[in-house]
Amino acid sequence: MTNRIGNKDIAQHRSKQEKKRIRASNIAMEAEKRAIARAKYRNDIKGRPPVAAQA
Protein backbone atom coordinates (compact mmCIF):
# COMPACT_ATOMS: atom_id res chain seq x y z
CA MET A 1 0.00 0.00 0.00
CA THR A 2 1.07 3.55 -0.56
CA ASN A 3 1.27 6.21 2.11
CA ARG A 4 -1.82 8.27 2.65
CA ILE A 5 -2.52 12.00 2.85
CA GLY A 6 -5.89 12.45 4.52
CA ASN A 7 -8.29 10.29 2.51
CA LYS A 8 -6.12 10.00 -0.61
CA ASP A 9 -3.07 7.94 -1.50
CA ILE A 10 0.11 9.83 -2.36
CA ALA A 11 -0.04 8.27 -5.84
CA GLN A 12 -3.21 10.25 -6.53
CA HIS A 13 -1.28 13.49 -5.97
CA ARG A 14 1.41 12.70 -8.53
CA SER A 15 1.49 14.73 -11.73
CA LYS A 16 1.22 13.15 -15.17
CA GLN A 17 4.86 13.97 -15.91
CA GLU A 18 6.01 12.30 -12.69
CA LYS A 19 3.95 9.18 -13.46
CA LYS A 20 5.46 9.05 -16.98
CA ARG A 21 8.98 9.43 -15.56
CA ILE A 22 8.43 6.66 -12.98
CA ARG A 23 6.98 4.34 -15.63
CA ALA A 24 9.88 5.01 -18.01
CA SER A 25 12.45 4.32 -15.28
CA ASN A 26 10.68 1.09 -14.30
CA ILE A 27 10.66 -0.08 -17.92
CA ALA A 28 14.36 0.79 -18.25
CA MET A 29 15.21 -1.14 -15.06
CA GLU A 30 13.31 -4.21 -16.28
CA ALA A 31 15.03 -4.03 -19.68
CA GLU A 32 18.41 -3.93 -17.94
CA LYS A 33 17.52 -6.96 -15.79
CA ARG A 34 16.38 -8.88 -18.88
CA ALA A 35 19.58 -8.01 -20.76
CA ILE A 36 21.71 -9.25 -17.85
CA ALA A 37 19.73 -12.50 -17.66
CA ARG A 38 19.96 -13.03 -21.42
CA ALA A 39 23.71 -12.47 -21.36
CA LYS A 40 24.05 -14.91 -18.47
CA TYR A 41 22.24 -17.75 -20.26
CA ARG A 42 23.05 -16.79 -23.86
CA ASN A 43 25.17 -19.83 -24.73
CA ASP A 44 23.32 -22.42 -22.64
CA ILE A 45 21.59 -25.32 -24.38
CA LYS A 46 17.93 -25.96 -23.53
CA GLY A 47 17.32 -29.04 -21.39
CA ARG A 48 20.97 -29.44 -20.46
CA PRO A 49 21.98 -28.72 -16.85
CA PRO A 50 24.01 -25.51 -16.47
CA VAL A 51 27.77 -25.74 -16.86
CA ALA A 52 29.69 -25.83 -13.55
CA ALA A 53 31.14 -22.53 -12.34
CA GLN A 54 33.32 -21.16 -15.08
CA ALA A 55 36.72 -19.74 -14.20
Side-chain angles (χ1 to χ4, degrees):
M1 297 288 295
T2 57
N3 293 333
R4 296 180 71 80
I5 299 175
N7 292 330
K8 291 190 174 184
D9 290 332
I10 287 177
Q12 290 174 306
H13 291 277
R14 288 193 178 126
S15 64
K16 286 184 180 181
Q17 289 82 15
E18 187 179 0
K19 288 177 185 175
K20 275 186 182 178
R21 195 171 13 90
I22 290 169
R23 185 169 190 271
S25 68
N26 288 344
I27 290 170
M29 269 194 302
E30 286 300 316
E32 185 181 351
K33 286 181 190 176
R34 288 179 69 189
I36 291 169
R38 280 190 178 140
K40 184 176 179 183
Y41 298 110
R42 183 169 49 107
N43 294 321
D44 286 354
I45 299 169
K46 265 190 174 176
R48 188 177 286 185
V51 178
Q54 297 172 349

